[in-house]
Structure formats: structure tokens, C-alpha cells
Amino acid sequence: MAMRQTPLTCSGHTRPVVDLAFSGITPYGYFLISACKDGKPMLRQGDTGDWIGTFLGHKGAVWGATLNKDATKAATAAADFTAKVWDAVSGDELITLAHKHIVKTVDFTQDSNYLLTGGQDKLLRIYDLNKPEAEPKEISGHTSGIKKALWCSEDKQILSADDKTVRLWDHATMTEVKSLNFNMSVSSMEYIPEGEILVITYGRSIAFHSAVSLDPIKSFEAPATINSASLHPEKEFLVAGGEDFKLYKYDYNSGEELESYKGHFGPIHCVRFSPDGELYASGSEDGTLRLWQTVVGKTYGLWKCVLPEEDSGELAKPKITFPETAEEELEEIASENSDSIYSSTPEVKA
Amino acid sequence: MQTPLTIPVPVLRLPRGPDGWSRGFAPDGRRAPLKPEVPGIPESPGVPESQESQEQRARAALRERYLRSLLAMVGRQVSFTLHEGVHVTAHFGATDLDVANFYVSQLQTPIGVQAEALLRCSDIIAYTFKP
């Protein structure tokens, strides 16, 4: 019998989720941080979505959030004109970096010694986290607010995106190496170190470029305006989400649309694959994060594939007839399903 | 769009959400991100350790008393003080897992009697009953 995707909804935020990031794979698993307009970024266990803690301190919407590779530090960018660095184990605020305008993006170097920030003041800043009081190095050149800034090529270069351009900078000389122009607003950017691939979304396009030369590799068109896309670590699939509330999964090699999922109640702002590629997370205007399986039906995290022969006695007959079969009620179906099989009460959190 | 006989992938449970009262990052219970020292180092015995377990025992005792008070309330007439100086009375039925809602019957409100109702605990300032 064919299996249908059961997304796992992570609740807790009270306003739109605008950014999310995974850590690398650590001995304790991997972790997920979400940035929200409610000003309270949250850390979650990456494979289950379980809430671990909330970083309290920002006084405005948090626009960007990231974790360092081993998930010991977190960084956030907010509308209160600051970027903050946090201890991701204790939740304590470590450093506050004052800016002159809304900060939109933050990124750690591989060794977590430097933090790159960018925002509405159109400047890229590089902070030495071992000397936080020192003035950051600044790179100017953008003519509109910076939406995303990322280290690339083993932190020797920087990629940054503003409204209509993507620029590549050399870290040592702090000068622009190359730039790409778009006639539509760039909505997101993702950097894949293995293979040096850059994923850029603008309008309905999902484009792949070389992160080294910025030369285009390929691009796909989606049925609706896309706000974010992510490439699978093994580069077999990509997922994308945007204004029509749906998530799309494409075959990277052929460009064929493989699956699409409804479930969110608002536009999707960010989507990312986990570092092991087993799931992807989406953040939406509806204030939730959802976790989706890459291979539907596989046992992983909280998803448990139960075959009809494995009847442990507790299992009720799987309820195939549901009162509402519309995709929008998938959430209720999932909780209904888990009730009948494991009789656990889904926790309702305000 | 999909074949009629697909079953949703079963899940063990839903992801846990925030606990509602703390900022989290509990060192026990959930798997914490990397601990700086080896986890096997024993806690130094003495005052700090027993103070914490004393507090925990006190919390457990208080919680048990509260839960028993809810049990004692079942079927009784309870007076609720709500916001804006509103007072209502009802027969208490049950509460939900998080004590977020009270299920009551025969709720006497200023605009009439409601046979069955759900009172949001966040709307309740105080309640009182005679056992």
C-alpha cells in the first residue's frame, strides 16, 4: 500500500518564520535554529523537531539565524539593529554586535572564529569573535539592502545577495571579484561547499551557479513565485517553496517535478535539507516549521514505518477512511493516526 | 492527485513544543548539544546537590496537591472569577493535559445558562469551591 507524506509540525513561534538553518552532524545529532518575527529564535533537535530552547534577548523581529558546524554557537540577525552570538548549549547571550540598521543575515566561518553580517545599511561586516570589541572589517559596494551573506570557498571568499545582484568578494583583499545581475528580486541563496554550487531563487526560477565563477549551471521554473530552495547533499533532489504555500520536490538532474505537498497555511519563507539529507524543514508565514521526509515511508526520527505484518497487538487497524481527506487537514490526520496506533495525546502548545 | 488507498506514514508522536514556562536548554532530559567536559564526571556531593533535589521534591509535592485538588473538584459547583470583573459558576467536569482548558457543565453566565462549555484557563483569574 502506498504511503503518504506525514509532515511533522513544530509549533511554538507566534509570528512568521523567516529563516532556518541546520548545524553540521555532531556526536549529539544535528540541530535546527529558526528565526521568527516574534523576536525569539528557537533551537530544536534536527531529526525530531523537539524544542530544546529559545534564545531570549532580541528586541525586534529576528531576520536571520545560523548555527556553527558543531552546534556550540548560534548567531542571529535582528530588526533591533543588532546581531547576537549565543552559547547554543546553555542558551546564554555571549556577544551583541551593534549595527546602524536592521541586520538580515549572519554566517560563521568553519572554525567559528569570524562572523559575517549584512543588512539594510548595505555593508558587509566581518567580526573577529575572539575580539568582539574591535571594529569589524567592512566591505561596501552593495546599492540596496543585503539579504543574505555567506562564506564560501573555505572562507576565502564571500557571497552576498541584495535585491537585484549577487556578488562574490575576496576575503583577503576585501574587493569584489564578480557579480550577477537579475531583473527580478533575489529571494534566497544557498551555498553547497561540496561541488561549490550556489542555489539562487528569484521570481519563479530556481537557478544553480558555480560558487567559484558565478557561471550558470542550470535553472528550473516553478509553478509559483519561489522564496527559498535547497539542494540535497547528494545532489539528487532539490526542494523549493514559495507564495502558493506548497513545497515542490524536483529531480536535480532531469528537472522533473517529483512531488508537491500542501500543508502550510501561508507562504513558505525558507526551506533547507538536513545535513544527512533524510529530511527537509520548511518555515512559513503561518508561524510553523514543518519537517518532511525525503524518502516517504522510511523509518527515521519520529516517522515509523509499520508494515501490516508487524502487528504488535496495540495497533488498531489503520484508519483508511477519514472524516476529512483534504490535504489541509493532514495535520489532524497525523494526530488522529498517532492516537489510534500509539494512543498518545499530541501536546497542544500556545 | 493521489491514489485513493494511500495511508499517511505513521509517527511515534508529534515534535515536542516549548514548555511554556522556561527558555529551555535543560541539561538533563533532552539530549543537550556538546557538553564541554566528559559527561562521566560525578557531581560534588554536598549542599548544592541536596538543595536542588529538595526543591524538586517540593515542586513534586505541590504539583501532586494541585492535581488532587482538581480531582476533588469533579462534579462540584465552582465559582470562577474571570477578567473584567465577570463571575460565573458551573459544575466542574475535567481539565486537559496541560491544564489549559476546563470542561464545565451548567455554566451560569450573565447572558444565560450554557449546558456544556470549555473555559480557557488563561481567562480565569481565580476559582473557588467547597468540597
Side-chain angles (χ1 to χ4, degrees):
Chain A
M1 192 155 297
M3 304 239 73
R4 199 159 86 221
Q5 172 86 263
T6 303
L8 294 170
T9 303
C10 308
S11 55
H13 284 305
T14 54
R15 299 279 328 276
V17 176
V18 289
D19 194 21
L20 66 91
F22 281 99
S23 69
I25 298 175
T26 80
Y28 295 85
Y30 58 89
F31 300 87
L32 168 59
I33 187 171
S34 49
C36 181
K37 286 191 185 178
D38 63 12
K40 303 191 177 91
M42 290 185 175
L43 183 72
R44 293 174 192 273
Q45 193 70 40
D47 60 338
T48 58
D50 288 339
W51 174 81
I52 294 174
T54 304
F55 298 102
L56 298 174
H58 273 301
K59 297 192 182 71
V62 177
W63 286 102
T66 189
L67 291 166
N68 66 353
K69 205 155 65 161
D70 58 9
T72 50
K73 290 210 175 74
T76 50
D80 61 5
F81 294 13
T82 70
K84 286 182 195 275
V85 179
W86 312 79
D87 179 325
V89 179
S90 64
D92 292 336
E93 189 183 310
L94 295 172
I95 308 168
T96 297
L97 304 162
H99 289 62
K100 306 244 171 21
H101 209 310
I102 295 169
V103 195
K104 285 292 200 78
T105 175
V106 274
D107 196 29
F108 285 104
T109 48
Q110 299 278 20
D111 57 13
S112 309
N113 285 326
Y114 295 91
L115 187 74
L116 173 67
T117 70
Q120 296 290 85
D121 63 2
K122 308 175 195 155
L123 291 170
L124 287 163
R125 285 197 172 87
I126 299 165
Y127 289 87
D128 181 346
L129 295 179
N130 300 310
K131 289 181 245 151
E133 288 85 47
E135 284 299 306
K137 292 199 281 189
E138 284 177 10
I139 301 176
S140 57
H142 275 286
T143 52
S144 61
I146 295 166
K147 293 179 174 185
K148 196 85 182 175
L150 300 165
W151 293 103
C152 63
S153 305
E154 292 167 353
D155 306 332
K156 294 206 273 290
Q157 292 185 310
I158 292 164
L159 279 161
S160 57
D162 64 17
D163 195 42
K164 296 271 176 42
T165 70
V166 168
R167 295 168 200 243
L168 182 63
W169 313 81
D170 178 71
H171 179 194
T173 60
M174 312 262 287
T175 53
E176 189 181 303
V177 171
K178 200 160 179 210
S179 75
L180 287 171
N181 290 304
F182 298 90
N183 42 22
M184 271 181 285
S185 190
V186 174
S187 46
S188 82
M189 202 164 70
E190 187 193 36
Y191 167 65
I192 315 283
E194 305 84 15
E196 297 288 339
I197 299 176
L198 185 60
V199 184
I200 305 172
T201 57
Y202 54 95
R204 294 202 263 125
S205 305
I206 307 158
F208 300 88
H209 289 251
S210 155
V212 173
S213 63
L214 293 190
D215 290 337
I217 300 171
K218 59 168 87 180
S219 79
F220 307 130
E221 288 289 295
T225 302
I226 294 296
N227 292 328
S228 180
S230 182
L231 183 61
H232 188 271
E234 263 132 68
K235 304 180 192 42
E236 292 164 28
F237 321 102
L238 66 120
V239 286
E243 293 294 308
D244 68 353
F245 311 1
K246 284 171 148 172
L247 262 158
Y248 294 94
K249 184 175 170 196
Y250 292 87
D251 179 301
Y252 178 61
N253 297 306
S254 67
E256 185 195 335
E257 185 189 305
L258 298 170
E259 283 148 30
S260 72
Y261 299 113
K262 287 199 259 185
H264 275 296
F265 296 101
I268 293 164
H269 291 306
C270 44
V271 62
R272 281 289 178 270
F273 267 106
S274 62
D276 62 2
E278 295 283 354
L279 57 82
Y280 45 101
S282 56
S284 164
E285 184 77 9
D286 66 12
T288 67
L289 275 113
R290 275 166 211 242
L291 303 180
W292 310 78
Q293 288 191 286
T294 304
V295 177
V296 179
K298 193 170 171 183
T299 294
Y300 180 85
L302 296 175
W303 293 285
K304 173 122 170 75
C305 185
V306 176
L307 302 169
E309 303 83 54
E310 282 175 34
D311 198 317
S312 62
E314 296 162 30
L315 288 169
K317 280 199 290 284
K319 280 201 241 172
I320 296 171
T321 53
F322 298 98
E324 315 115 331
T325 48
E327 290 279 64
E328 294 82 53
E329 266 83 46
L330 202 56
E331 219 171 301
E332 270 153 59
I333 290 169
S335 54
E336 229 179 291
N337 216 41
S338 52
D339 275 344
S340 67
I341 293 175
Y342 294 96
S343 46
S344 62
T345 325
E347 294 165 33
V348 174
K349 297 292 176 192
Chain B
M1 202 154 72
Q2 61 188 45
T3 59
L5 285 177
T6 58
I7 0 174
V9 177
V11 289
L12 294 170
R13 56 169 173 83
L14 297 180
R16 292 190 201 106
D19 58 20
W21 63 79
S22 78
R23 65 163 195 181
F25 298 101
D28 56 311
R30 317 222 163 107
R31 271 180 300 167
L34 280 172
K35 298 186 215 288
E37 300 105 10
V38 174
I41 293 174
E43 299 276 1
S44 56
V47 176
E49 171 68 352
S50 66
Q51 199 174 41
E52 205 181 288
S53 64
Q54 252 187 339
E55 199 183 298
Q56 186 50 41
R57 266 183 267 131
R59 285 183 197 275
L62 285 169
R63 176 112 182 122
E64 191 180 330
R65 267 172 61 177
Y66 180 66
L67 292 173
R68 289 193 189 283
S69 78
L70 288 174
L71 278 173
M73 243 174 29
V74 175
R76 304 256 189 266
Q77 178 98 339
V78 182
S79 310
F80 296 93
T81 304
L82 308 178
H83 287 280
E84 311 278 333
V86 174
H87 293 265
V88 294
T89 57
H91 286 109
F92 181 75
T95 174
D96 61 1
L97 181 67
D98 301 318
V99 196
N101 298 286
F102 283 170
Y103 161 64
V104 297
S105 52
Q106 301 309 313
L107 177 70
Q108 322 245 353
T109 77
I111 52 163
V113 178
Q114 197 70 21
E116 320 274 354
L118 210 58
L119 283 177
R120 267 197 309 215
C121 288
S122 53
D123 293 340
I124 300 172
I125 295 174
Y127 60 88
T128 176
F129 74 105
K130 284 196 176 59

